[in-house]
Amino acid sequence: MPHVITQSCCSDASCVYACPVNCIHPTPDEPDFRTAQMLYVDPVECVDCGACVTACPVDAIKPHTKLTAAEDVFATLNADFYATARPRPILAPVVPPLEVRTGGDLRVAIVGSGPAAMYAAEEVLTIPGARVRIYERLTQPYGLARFGVAPDHRRTRGVSRQFDHIAADPRLEMRLGVEVGSHVTHDDLLNEHHAVIYAVGASTDRRLDIPGIDLPGVTSATEFVAWYNDHPDHTGRSFDLSHRRAVVIGNGNVALDVARILTVDPDRLTATEIAPHALKALRDSAIEEVVVVGRRGIEQSAFTVPELVGLCSTPGVDVVVRDEDLRTLTAADPRSGILRAASRGTGNRRIVLEYLLSPTAVLGRSSATGVEFVHNELVAAPDGSTRVKSTGLQRVIETGLVLTSIGYRGMPVPGLPFDDATATVPNEGGRVPGVPGAFVTGWIKRGPTGFIGTNKSCAQETVRSLIADYNGGLPA
């Protein structure tokens, strides 16, 4: 009875280190770890000990006999990952304990309180005597783990229980409602700490620069997510849900989240942590269809397979893809079977996945009334890859709500260098060159890639750089 990793996997790799037979991959020291959509259990090597179940912070791992009908596909996904032999050692990678020089207890300030910050704090606190002080601009902690995860992804949101456990350590102090750069400076923090770790994430969206983008009725998907998750910066917002159709530009996981929330029966959200004002608005919503648009082909969809499984198992919602798009997927591609099974026409609302369309303008005078797109085609590039080429053929999709979801973007941090091209703070293993005592982790370090748990290995690298500097004589 092998165990199976399912949709809520956050890739924090706790299960990897708990497994006594090293049957969960990719591990953080393997090259495909940071690009993998989830982790996978080898059904042949699994000895059914259940250690991974206890270690998982989001209840993603189950015995295969306890999978729901919607989760059965994950047994195949886990097994398929090992269809090609994967050389590996008998034991999982060992992370050596952190050791610091004598002569004083380590004091670290962390700016931000999202997953990257909490994992960094957890790592620092493995050192006896170390102390951490977290500075958070908002009055509630945990960042995107609280305000970015869809309310109906309840197991994923459960990672906050792990953060509560970290925050309960008496050596950790959390100062909420304090903005670094306004209330305190980097120099102020260094006066009281040996080092400062910036875990400020990517707090803005990439802007779609087309005519009409500033019309009422157009906003970013991440702002919409923050609104329905009761983010204090967005509680006063309102959205026009009176049109029968909404359009989401971009097709990553956030795009699928907002499409699902806009179409799911609101009664299914009543037991979640959705904001009451958002639930009321969704009950009054006239939206029957959400069109999710990508500029490339279906093979280049930005959403992950686990997110697609969650979307396609939403009761009462059809997920529709054109046959000509489905035909481009091979039978071996798990998305093919998932999407074919979803397009049954039994729901009263639907999500349409459209491909090879680039937005050229948002239409309307006083508010958005539609989006103008141009059709694309994929052409071969000299290096063997494919690129998007406009055909010139235009198409208009009528809508009263346009949500852009083309990626997050980091913002400059006062006192630190900033790479505008990557929207990150230049760093070497988390160490910020030229700024004594400054370190970065999370999206401001590596860009907006990976999942909640990916920040754990990222934070481990940063903290090890910090400890190396501290042991080398980082001034107090």
Side-chain angles (χ1 to χ4, degrees):
M1 187 174 69
H3 282 65
V4 177
I5 298 179
T6 64
Q7 189 267 334
S8 57
C9 176
C10 70
S11 299
D12 86 332
S14 294
C15 56
V16 168
Y17 301 106
C19 178
V21 294
N22 195 23
C23 74
I24 302 177
H25 293 265
T27 62
D29 62 335
E30 292 176 330
D32 52 346
F33 174 76
R34 290 195 175 183
T35 58
Q37 296 186 356
M38 57 181 285
L39 305 183
Y40 307 88
V41 174
D42 186 336
V44 175
E45 299 295 330
C46 177
V47 295
D48 193 30
C49 68
C52 55
V53 176
T54 304
C56 180
V58 291
D59 300 325
I61 309 177
K62 296 182 176 182
H64 82 274
T65 55
K66 294 186 178 180
L67 298 176
T68 66
E71 293 171 332
D72 281 341
V73 65
F74 287 102
T76 302
L77 292 175
N78 278 243
D80 284 352
F81 184 77
Y82 297 94
T84 302
R86 190 177 185 92
R88 60 180 186 265
I90 296 175
L91 298 177
V94 176
V95 179
L98 295 170
E99 297 181 357
V100 298
R101 59 178 168 87
T102 58
D105 293 336
L106 176 65
R107 301 185 305 278
V108 177
I110 300 178
V111 181
S113 68
M118 297 309 296
Y119 285 126
E122 180 183 42
E123 191 70 9
V124 172
L125 293 173
T126 63
I127 304 168
R131 287 172 287 168
V132 172
R133 183 178 289 157
I134 288 177
Y135 294 83
E136 167 58 55
R137 178 182 70 86
L138 299 176
T139 57
Q140 296 182 70
Y142 307 157
L144 286 182
R146 183 187 296 273
F147 298 117
V149 178
D152 57 339
H153 281 345
R154 302 183 73 179
R155 285 193 286 168
T156 303
R157 292 174 74 92
V159 74
S160 62
R161 294 191 299 269
Q162 181 184 13
F163 298 156
D164 285 338
H165 178 75
I166 298 169
D169 191 308
R171 295 173 296 146
L172 186 150
E173 177 187 355
M174 193 171 292
R175 294 192 175 180
L176 303 176
V178 178
E179 185 171 11
V180 175
S182 298
H183 302 123
V184 294
T185 67
H186 177 74
D187 289 340
D188 292 334
L189 297 181
L190 278 184
N191 285 335
E192 299 185 38
H193 306 87
H194 295 98
V196 183
I197 299 176
Y198 290 88
V200 295
S203 56
T204 61
D205 299 275
R206 291 177 56 196
R207 179 176 169 80
L208 183 62
D209 192 13
I210 58 175
I213 198 65
D214 294 319
L215 280 169
V218 183
T219 189
S220 72
T222 52
E223 289 182 343
F224 189 71
V225 170
W227 169 75
Y228 64 60
N229 277 333
D230 211 16
H231 191 294
D233 288 348
H234 297 274
T235 53
R237 295 286 301 273
S238 62
F239 295 88
D240 184 359
L241 308 182
S242 62
H243 197 281
R244 65 170 296 272
R245 180 186 295 118
V247 170
V248 182
I249 299 173
N251 61 12
N253 284 356
V254 173
L256 266 56
D257 275 346
V258 298
R260 188 182 65 258
I261 294 298
L262 282 168
T263 52
V264 69
D265 183 346
D267 285 344
R268 302 188 67 85
L269 299 173
T270 55
T272 72
E273 296 178 73
I274 191 169
H277 61 258
L279 183 59
K280 182 181 184 304
L282 291 169
R283 288 192 185 282
D284 297 335
S285 171
I287 292 175
E288 299 174 356
E289 176 182 277
V290 178
V291 181
V292 180
V293 184
R295 63 185 292 268
R296 297 177 64 82
I298 191 171
E299 305 95 323
Q300 294 84 33
S301 297
F303 55 76
T304 63
V305 171
E307 182 72 20
L308 179 63
V309 172
L311 180 74
C312 291
S313 61
T314 305
V317 178
D318 292 327
V319 180
V320 180
V321 183
R322 292 182 302 173
D323 287 341
E324 52 264 46
D325 288 320
L326 282 174
R327 282 194 291 269
T328 66
L329 294 176
T330 66
D333 191 319
R335 293 172 296 185
S336 177
I338 294 167
L339 288 169
R340 290 181 191 280
S343 300
R344 294 173 179 166
T346 58
N348 55 8
R349 294 186 180 184
R350 68 179 199 161
I351 295 170
V352 182
L353 303 182
E354 291 276 4
Y355 292 93
L356 293 172
L357 292 173
S358 290
T360 54
V362 177
L363 307 179
R365 294 188 177 181
S366 58
S367 64
T369 59
V371 184
E372 180 185 82
F373 294 92
V374 63
H375 283 270
N376 299 321
E377 60 181 353
L378 295 177
V379 297
D383 62 359
S385 63
T386 58
R387 62 182 179 86
V388 171
K389 179 182 178 182
S390 171
T391 66
L393 181 64
Q394 292 184 328
R395 177 183 173 188
V396 172
I397 300 178
E398 294 183 356
T399 182
L401 177 66
V402 182
L403 302 176
T404 62
S405 186
I406 58 175
Y408 292 91
R409 179 176 172 81
M411 293 290 289
V413 178
L416 301 187
F418 188 72
D419 183 338
D420 193 64
T422 62
T424 60
V425 172
N427 68 94
E428 298 170 357
R431 181 186 296 108
V432 181
V435 186
F439 298 82
V440 288
T441 189
W443 283 359
I444 196 64
K445 170 187 173 183
R446 69 181 191 274
T449 61
F451 310 98
I452 288 176
T454 314
N455 291 293
K456 185 168 186 174
S457 57
C458 181
Q460 288 174 337
E461 179 189 55
T462 293
V463 173
R464 290 187 177 275
S465 294
L466 186 158
I467 297 305
D469 286 4
Y470 177 75
N471 289 338
L474 188 71

